[in-house]
Amino acid sequence: ILCSERFVGDEAFAVLLGDTITMNKLPCTRQLMDAYESYKGPIIAVEKVERAKIPSYGIIKGEREGGVYMIEDLVEKPSIDEAPSNLGIIGRYVLTPEVFECIKQVKPGVGGEIQLTDALRILKDEQSMYAYEFRGRRYDIGTKLDWLKSSIEVALANEEIGRKLRKYLEKLLKT
């Protein structure tokens, strides 16, 4: 993200992490852009995650205000008992350029990496930051199995190939 600083200038910008696919007639990024226009602050897409999956996500703490949450805190991959909620960050953001200075302040965290969540913890103390509960279907493609499941599910829903794929899978399962 820091590599994009020279291209962003003074504009808000979208970040889409590659281990997530979102599906809806109104794309997730459009939903975030619309919310950004209303609230004029950094906004993060979140969804409610299963309790067992909490340690795999950045988790927010916030109070619901209208259609969004006002973020009070963010924690990268907390234990289930330390998580402030079950609202997981899903890898879609509309951020403001102020985040770049915050990223520069962050030391390696979980996994020995510079975590965007840690930079956002700094940013939320400098300006109001929001979380938007994404409306639609999200596919986590961070593992081979999840990538395969999402590919099959999306393909089955496709008008052009869905029926043919379903017949193939049924035949495959009978053997």
Side-chain angles (χ1 to χ4, degrees):
I1 294 170
L2 194 55
C3 293
S4 69
E5 181 177 21
R6 65 186 175 115
F7 302 103
V8 168
D10 293 334
E11 301 290 327
F13 62 101
V15 175
L16 290 72
L17 300 184
D19 61 352
T20 292
I21 296 172
T22 57
M23 303 289 282
N24 194 345
K25 287 184 180 186
L26 184 62
C28 183
T29 304
R30 174 83 264 162
Q31 292 177 42
L32 287 175
M33 290 168 58
D34 292 346
Y36 174 83
E37 287 302 315
S38 295
Y39 292 89
K40 300 294 186 204
I43 191 151
I44 300 166
V46 296
E47 72 176 2
K48 292 181 175 118
V49 297
E50 296 173 25
R51 182 170 163 79
K53 292 187 176 187
I54 285 174
S56 299
Y57 289 87
I59 302 291
I60 68 129
K61 176 183 180 183
E63 290 293 321
R64 192 166 188 96
E65 274 187 15
V68 300
Y69 292 86
M70 172 70 95
I71 293 178
E72 298 170 18
D73 200 7
L74 309 93
V75 183
E76 182 64 20
K77 297 179 176 140
S79 70
I80 293 170
D81 295 332
E82 294 174 346
S85 75
N86 69 334
L87 292 169
I89 300 169
I90 64 168
R92 298 290 185 270
Y93 312 78
V94 171
L95 302 175
T96 55
E98 292 81 7
V99 76
F100 296 122
E101 289 306 315
C102 299
I103 292 171
K104 292 172 188 174
Q105 295 175 44
V106 172
K107 303 287 184 242
V110 173
E113 300 174 342
I114 301 293
Q115 296 290 337
L116 179 58
T117 303
D118 295 335
L120 295 175
R121 285 186 91 187
I122 297 168
L123 184 61
K124 64 129 176 92
D125 291 335
E126 297 175 4
Q127 64 184 128
S128 295
M129 191 165 33
Y130 305 92
Y132 176 83
E133 197 166 350
F134 164 65
R135 288 167 178 75
R137 176 80 163 97
R138 183 183 69 89
Y139 299 95
D140 180 346
I141 58 170
T143 68
K144 291 175 187 175
L145 181 58
D146 288 335
W147 174 76
L148 284 169
K149 286 178 180 179
S150 66
S151 295
I152 292 168
E153 194 171 320
V154 169
L156 287 170
N158 181 280
E159 289 180 23
E160 182 181 340
I161 64 169
R163 193 169 57 237
K164 291 177 185 176
L165 178 60
R166 185 174 310 281
K167 286 181 182 179
Y168 169 75
L169 291 172
E170 287 169 355
K171 181 181 172 185
L172 187 64
L173 291 172
K174 289 178 183 177
T175 60

